[in-house]
Amino acid sequence: MKLYLYDQLNQSQKAAVAGVFLVLLPVFFPNLFGPLGRASPSMFSEWNAPRPRHVALLQGALQRQISIREHINLWAPLANQGWKPCTEPPKFSSQPKKYQGYIQVFLDGGLNQQKMGICDAVAVAKILNATLVIPHLEVNPVWQDSSSFAEIFDVDHFIDTLHDEVSIVKELPTDYSWSTREYYATGIRATRIKTAPVHATADWYIENVLPVLKSYGVAAIAPFSHRLTFNNLPSDIQRLRCKVNFQALDFVPHIRNLGETLVHHLRYTPPRNEAVGTGHLLQGTDKFGRDGAGKYVVLHLRFDKDMAAHSACDFGGGIAEKRALAKYRQVIWQGRVLNSQFTDEELRHQGRCPLTPEEIGLLLAALGFDNDTRLYLASHKVYGGEDRIITLRNLFPLMEDKKSLASAEELAKVEGKASLLAAVDYYVSMHSDIFISASPGNMHNALVGHRAFLNLKTIRPNMALLGQLFPNKSMDWSEFQKAVLDGHKSRQGQIRLRKEKQSIYTYPAPDCMCRA
């Protein structure tokens, strides 16, 4: 009896200790229980790595055989399409001798949204005959990046490239030194313009901003993202915007140097002899001599938590994932982005769901990229981390990114700074043989436009088609591949003329290009 009571007491003590341990575990190891951010899932996280959702297609993709003809066609550069860049103003255009005052703009968003804002700011300064102060870049609320204009772009190159058309200064004269971001954050100011509508016309700026310039000598416009129309502007203003975007906005030297280092590794360093994780052995030097050697494709894998939450699609993580994304959506956007009224199936058929790493891997394989392809991954941290990427890596074992190609010392100046990391990816993307993005977005749009401007091959995924193909579980690999190839024949960089309301930064023809 005493032994029994002792055992019972011992079990109670053990239970108590275990209970205390479970209570204190989150205190001492909070990361184990914290919500999944933009990295790998935690041990007790909101998210469980889903198994591959397209097993039959994956088996076919891993056994794929690419013909020599398909390989040659895939890597062949675009033929001349009869267009050439045209960004120079008419010869009679010149700077005015007297300016109306100083324009300041405060820009939100990530790198590519800020680039568009900078281009628009130069155009507004031209419209108002004003001097532009180098734009102020706000701290990105999602990536928490405080990088300034001068930390990303070559300021002297920017000013020199545009000096014949627009007056630009690095900072305000001392007489206006009071006009700072902090000054406008503390109250209503007569020199701040808060009412600029989205896609405002040139006349709106002349009627609403020019009087402020004449009265005070300075006008600060905030917010400024997407605050200039794409329609009914003089041709010289449109070409000026493109000149800013494609010529004046050059990255600072250390970003260009790091980008060139990565490009050099991708083009001239032979692949590793062993393809990790596939069971295939690659004959490094011999394979490097094949057709397509020295070439690489950039994949912009836009599958971070923000993208997943914003889309309201199902990505196979179960109810825990759905709840976590819904909570994140509410915390970040405070109800401005709601759960979709459409089902996941309807969203996919509409082409509104981001492609997962597994799905973009299957698309690349169907397009004709083999397992010897030098694939550069341009991406912020992927939602789900390596567990999400492993299927893509199995399909493309020679996949690289910044960290796999550059040393810690080479990455030191950009590490932890989202805008600088994005700038490096942008540079590598612009120098690639082929670029493809997993989902539409600001970087996709910027690179589609820039590469079209230079007649470079860019594959645009047919999201609506893929949204119908992937749910079809009865489709075998050959059927899937044929449907993909047929659906992407006209989506590989062909010039598309800009339509009304479309962005000149995505569709540079005909505003910023001429018939060759």
Side-chain angles (χ1 to χ4, degrees):
M1 184 65 178
K2 288 182 180 180
L3 182 61
Y4 172 77
L5 290 174
Y6 175 80
D7 289 341
Q8 287 291 97
L9 181 61
N10 195 33
Q11 290 176 10
S12 298
Q13 289 174 333
K14 290 179 180 179
V17 171
V20 171
F21 175 76
L22 287 175
V23 170
L24 293 178
L25 189 58
V27 176
F28 292 106
F29 303 98
N31 290 334
L32 295 179
F33 293 85
L36 180 62
R38 303 179 188 92
S40 302
S42 59
M43 179 178 174
F44 298 100
S45 82
E46 62 185 43
W47 182 85
N48 296 312
R51 296 178 179 178
R53 306 180 81 182
H54 312 289
V55 177
L57 293 180
L58 280 172
Q59 291 175 346
L62 288 169
Q63 299 169 9
R64 66 194 184 279
Q65 297 293 324
I66 309 298
S67 70
I68 295 176
R69 183 177 180 180
E70 287 175 327
H71 206 266
I72 292 174
N73 290 338
L74 178 65
W75 289 101
L78 285 176
N80 189 307
Q81 300 186 65
W83 289 90
K84 65 179 182 179
C86 287
T87 59
E88 294 304 318
K91 292 184 179 180
F92 58 80
S93 176
S94 62
Q95 268 195 348
K97 294 181 179 179
K98 186 176 180 181
Y99 296 96
Q100 303 283 2
Y102 295 91
I103 288 288
Q104 292 176 281
V105 295
F106 304 103
L107 300 176
D108 289 317
L111 173 70
N112 293 290
Q113 188 173 337
Q114 290 171 340
K115 281 184 65 180
M116 290 184 282
I118 294 165
C119 300
D120 290 348
V122 172
V124 167
K126 181 75 170 180
I127 291 168
L128 296 175
N129 187 22
T131 295
L132 176 68
V133 182
I134 290 294
H136 174 88
L137 308 186
E138 304 275 29
V139 177
N140 189 293
V142 174
W143 309 124
Q144 293 297 310
D145 191 332
S146 59
S147 299
S148 68
F149 186 107
E151 290 176 297
I152 304 172
F153 304 107
D154 187 328
V155 176
D156 291 331
H157 174 81
F158 179 73
I159 295 174
D160 291 344
T161 303
L162 302 170
H163 82 278
D164 286 336
E165 299 185 63
V166 183
S167 172
I168 303 174
V169 295
K170 296 180 180 180
E171 56 187 23
L172 285 167
T174 55
D175 290 349
Y176 299 102
S177 60
W178 48 265
S179 184
T180 64
R181 188 67 185 90
E182 292 73 22
Y183 172 74
Y184 294 109
T186 57
I188 299 174
R189 308 296 185 184
T191 51
R192 178 182 176 183
I193 311 297
K194 296 181 65 175
T195 57
V198 174
H199 303 311
T201 64
D203 287 341
W204 187 92
Y205 282 98
I206 292 171
E207 294 168 6
N208 295 273
V209 181
L210 189 55
V212 177
L213 282 176
K214 289 182 175 179
S215 297
Y216 299 96
V218 63
I221 310 173
F224 189 72
S225 295
H226 309 295
R227 288 319 198 264
L228 182 63
T229 183
F230 291 115
N231 301 318
N232 302 317
L233 287 175
S235 60
D236 63 322
I237 296 297
Q238 295 287 63
R239 291 193 178 188
L240 175 60
R241 293 164 95 178
C242 281
K243 183 175 183 178
V244 180
N245 191 42
F246 300 134
Q247 294 175 233
L249 285 175
D250 205 359
F251 297 124
V252 293
H254 75 82
I255 289 177
R256 299 199 307 271
N257 292 340
L258 177 55
E260 190 54 44
T261 296
L262 302 182
V263 171
H264 181 86
H265 282 310
L266 288 163
R267 290 206 183 281
Y268 303 114
T269 302
R272 294 183 297 273
N273 287 336
E274 184 174 357
V276 179
T278 64
H280 298 288
L281 289 179
L282 304 180
Q283 304 302 317
T285 304
D286 295 337
K287 288 289 184 180
F288 202 61
R290 75 195 190 287
D291 181 74
K295 298 182 179 181
Y296 70 95
V297 57
V298 169
L299 167 61
H300 179 225
L301 184 56
R302 193 181 180 217
F303 198 76
D304 51 57
K305 188 170 185 178
D306 307 276
M307 184 69 177
H310 200 281
S311 69
C313 297
D314 178 19
F315 301 106
I319 190 65
E321 179 184 83
K322 291 180 181 179
R323 287 175 177 171
L325 292 178
K327 180 180 179 181
Y328 183 85
R329 193 179 300 125
Q330 180 61 37
V331 170
I332 295 297
W333 294 293
Q334 289 85 43
R336 295 192 299 274
V337 177
L338 304 175
N339 285 316
S340 175
Q341 60 182 324
F342 300 104
T343 65
D344 180 73
E345 182 180 8
E346 290 170 333
L347 289 171
R348 292 189 180 280
H349 275 253
Q350 295 168 15
R352 294 168 61 183
C353 289
L355 298 177
T356 65
E358 175 190 357
E359 290 168 343
I360 193 67
L362 290 169
L363 171 62
L364 289 169
L367 287 169
F369 294 100
D370 59 24
N371 76 318
D372 293 345
T373 299
R374 306 301 299 269
L375 177 64
Y376 178 84
L377 194 63
S379 174
H380 196 65
K381 293 178 181 177
V382 175
Y383 180 47
E386 185 61 28
D387 286 334
R388 279 281 194 195
I389 302 176
I390 189 63
T391 304
L392 176 63
R393 195 179 300 281
N394 287 338
L395 289 169
F396 297 96
L398 300 184
M399 186 169 69
E400 307 279 6
D401 58 20
K402 292 179 286 294
K403 291 187 176 180
S404 68
L405 292 172
S407 66
E409 292 76 15
E410 290 171 321
L411 290 170
K413 288 185 178 181
V414 299
E415 195 64 46
K417 298 179 180 179
S419 292
L420 302 188
L421 292 168
V424 173
D425 282 339
Y426 193 101
Y427 184 96
V428 177
S429 299
M430 279 305 302
H431 289 77
S432 67
D433 299 276
I434 303 173
F435 172 81
I436 183 169
S437 180
S439 302
N442 287 328
M443 184 164 180
H444 164 90
N445 294 338
L447 281 161
V448 163
H450 202 159
R451 291 176 66 88
F453 187 74
L454 299 176
N455 199 44
L456 301 174
K457 182 172 283 189
T458 305
I459 300 176
R460 297 180 298 110
N462 189 332
M463 303 295 285
L465 171 66
L466 296 170
Q468 297 173 36
L469 295 181
F470 283 124
N472 186 351
K473 300 303 180 185
S474 64
M475 180 174 285
D476 63 22
W477 175 250
S478 61
E479 292 176 299
F480 176 78
Q481 185 175 34
K482 183 179 185 305
V484 165
L485 290 172
D486 290 342
H488 288 82
K489 287 180 179 178
S490 61
R491 304 178 68 89
Q492 301 196 25
Q494 292 82 355
I495 290 288
R496 296 174 293 159
L497 299 184
R498 188 180 73 86
K499 299 177 182 178
E500 188 176 6
K501 296 183 179 180
Q502 287 183 328
S503 168
I504 60 172
Y505 308 122
T506 307
Y507 305 93
D511 301 80
C512 306
M513 303 183 75
C514 308
R515 288 287 185 182

